[in-house]
Amino acid sequence: MPTERPTIADVAERAGVSKGLVSFALNDRPGVSPQTRERILAAARDLGWQPSLRARALSVNRAFALGLVITRDPEIITGDPFYPSFIAGVERELAPAGQALVLSVVPDEEAELAAYRKLVEDRRVDGIFITDLRHDDARIALADELGVPAVTLGRPEGASPFPAVSMDDRAGIEAAVDHLVGLGHRSIAHVAGPARMLHGSRRRKAFEDAMARAGLRATMIVETDFRAADGARATRDLLARQEDPTAIVYANDPMAIAGLGVAQRSGLRVPEELSITGFDGSDVAEHIFPALSTVATDAVSWGAVAARVLLQEIAGEEPGDTELPPARFIPRESTAASPEPIPRAER
Amino acid sequence: MPTERPTIADVAERAGVSKGLVSFALNDRPGVSPQTRERILAAARDLGWQPSLRARALSVNRAFALGLVITRDPEIITGDPFYPSFIAGVERELAPAGQALVLSVVPDEEAELAAYRKLVEDRRVDGIFITDLRHDDARIALADELGVPAVTLGRPEGASPFPAVSMDDRAGIEAAVDHLVGLGHRSIAHVAGPARMLHGSRRRKAFEDAMARAGLRATMIVETDFRAADGARATRDLLARQEDPTAIVYANDPMAIAGLGVAQRSGLRVPEELSITGFDGSDVAEHIFPALSTVATDAVSWGAVAARVLLQEIAGEEPGDTELPPARFIPRESTAASPEPIPRAER
DNA sequence: CTCCGAACCTAAACCGGTTTAGAGGAGCAG
DNA sequence: CTGCTCCTCTAAACCGGTTTAGGTTCGGAG
C-alpha cells in the first residue's frame, strides 16, 4: 500500500521551515538563502515529494491543460488523416511544458459549442484550439464571450481577437492544377469540401483561380461533405456528365481514393484516361495503385506550432499570426498526360 | 467583462445560510429542509452559480477525467481507423457523466509508460484505458503499482487485477478463412501484425487454427508493424515466393489496401487471381475497387463500454469482464473463387 | 550608538469547494 | 415538566498548494 503521499507541509516540517518558504524554494523564487534552499530541496527529494497539480490549479487558477473539440459523426470519423497527426504535434509541445490535452469528440455543431463551453466553464482548460474553421464561425464569438485564449487554424473571415496559425493550402491546389494543365489537361473537375467550411471553399476558390489563370473554365465542381462515400458519389456525378473530365482534383485523400475506385469500377484507366489528385498526404495514398498524386500538409508541425502559440498567449505574450510552409504537391502515379479528347460515344 | 464568478459563499450569503448547507443542498443530501433547499437553489440560480471543478477536485480528491495514451510514431499515425472511433465511443459515455478525456500521444513504449505515470501521479485522471495490449505488458504492473483503476481492451495474458472489455477478433479471421476456403482457396497467406502485440499474435493464431481446421498448412505468414508500407513489403515478399498464395488475409485495412496496390501493380487481377481480406472496417475500404472484403469491429461500442466499465470501477463497483459481440466478416468484392492452380511459369 | 534597509523567514489568508463536530430547537414519550 | 431524539443548521477544519503582510536579524551608513 502506497503510504500517504507527502505534502508541502511535510517537507516544511522536515526542513524545519514554514510552508510558504518551501513553496518559494521549490519555485526558484528569490528570498531564500542558498543553504536553506538546499535543505528544502533535499527534504523534498528525501520524501519523494511531488506537487499536487490540483492544489496548484486551485490556487493559481490555472488548469495546465488545453482543449480540443473535434466535430465528426462518430461512425465516419475513421479515415480522416488530419487529426491524429495534428494531435501528435500538439503533444510534442505540451508534454515538455507539463501541460495536457483534453479532447472532446462530438457529433455536430450544436454539441461542439456546448463542449467548448463546458470545457471552459469547468475551467478544465486554459486555452482552446479552433480547427476546421467555418464561415461565420460561432466559436470565435463564443471564445471571446468566455474570455478564453484561443488559437485558430487558419485565419477566420471576420476580425478575430485570436492569433491564427495558417498553412497555405491554395498553393497545393494551384500546383496540382498547374501540373495537370502542364500535362495537357483542359477539362479538369474539382470535388470540393463543404462550402461552409473555410478550407473547403478556399480550396475551391484556389481551384477556380488556377483554372482561370490557365485560361480554362472551372465549370465542373461538385460539393461534398469530405467523406469517402460522398467523394464516390461526386465522382459518379462527374463521370455521368456530357463534358467528360480528364482529371479530377479532390479536396482530400479519402475522397480521391474513393473516386479512384469509382473510375476503375467504370472501366476507366487511371491515369491513362483519367488523372486524379488528392489532398492531405495520408499514409495509404502512397501505396495504392496507382499511387496517388496528392498535396501534403504537415499536420504535425501545425499542431506543434498551434500549441506553442496558445501557450504563449496563455503566458500573457501576444503572439502574432503564424504562416507555416505552404502545402506542397507531390506528383505520383495517378496523374499523366491528358488523353486525346475523344468523344465518349466513340470509346 | 464577465464579473467575478460567484462562489458557494456568495450563494450562502444570498440565501442567508452557511456554506456547508449550500453544499448539502446542491448535492441533494439529506438534512436540509425543503424550504431552505428551495431558497438555496433559487439563490444559486439567480447568481448563475456554477461549481468550481477545481475546488471540487481538490476536496474530494477526484479528477473527473480519464486518461488514454496512444503510442504511435507521429509521422505514421494517420490512417489508423481504430482510435478516432474508439474515442468517439468513449466520449459518448463521458460527456453525460461530466467526465473528460485526457489524451496523450507518444512515439514509443518508454514514453508511453512515462506518460501514464505522469497522468496518474499528477492526479490528472481517475482511471486509465489500456489499449493495444502486448505480451508481458508493463502497463498492467504500472497501473497496479500506481493503484489506479484501469480497464484493458482485451484480456491480458497473465493475471490482471483490472476488468477487461474484449471483442473476439478470432471469429472474424476464422470467418474470413472459412469464406476463402469455401471459395476453393487452399493456398492462403496471412499478413500479420506485430507478434508482440496481443491482437497481432491472436489474429495470427486464429488464422493458423482456421487453416488447420480446414486441413491446410499455414506456412505463408509474414509479420509486419501494422503500417501500410509494411503491408506492401509483406505482400511483395509473399508474391515472390515459390508457392504462390491465391488469397491473403491481412491483419488490418491499411495493409490490405496497400497489398491490393502491390498486387495490381504487379499485374495480378484482384479478385480473379488473388483474393484479399482486410480487418477493421475503415471507411475508405468500402469505396476502393474492388471493394475490400474485411472484418468489421465496432470500435465505437468498444470505447463506450470500456468507458462505462472504468467509471463503474472508479465508483467503487467491481465490474466483471465484458465480452462484446464478435467481429464479423463482411464479404465484398475483393474475394472470389480461387483460380485454377496454374504454375506461375505458364501464366 | 542609532537608524535604515535588505535579506530571510513565518504566520496567516486565500483559492472554492466538502465534511465533520456539535449547537439549537422542536416534538414526543415518560 | 423533564429528558431524549431527531431535524436543521452553523462553524470550522480540511484538501495542498500560493501569496501577502509583517517580523527578525544583520550589516553598514550617519
Side-chain angles (χ1 to χ4, degrees), chain A residues 67-85:
Chain A
L68 173 62
V69 177
I70 300 182
T71 310
R72 289 293 146 91
D73 181 330
E75 303 298 342
I76 60 112
I77 193 173
T78 136
D80 184 329
F82 178 75
Y83 279 108
S85 300

Side-chain angles (χ1 to χ4, degrees), chain B residues 55-80:
Chain B
R56 235 147 77 73
L58 181 60
S59 50
V60 303
N61 202 27
R62 288 260 282 115
F64 305 105
L66 270 32
L68 172 64
V69 177
I70 300 181
T71 309
R72 289 293 145 90
D73 182 329
E75 302 299 343
I76 61 113
I77 194 174
T78 136
D80 184 327

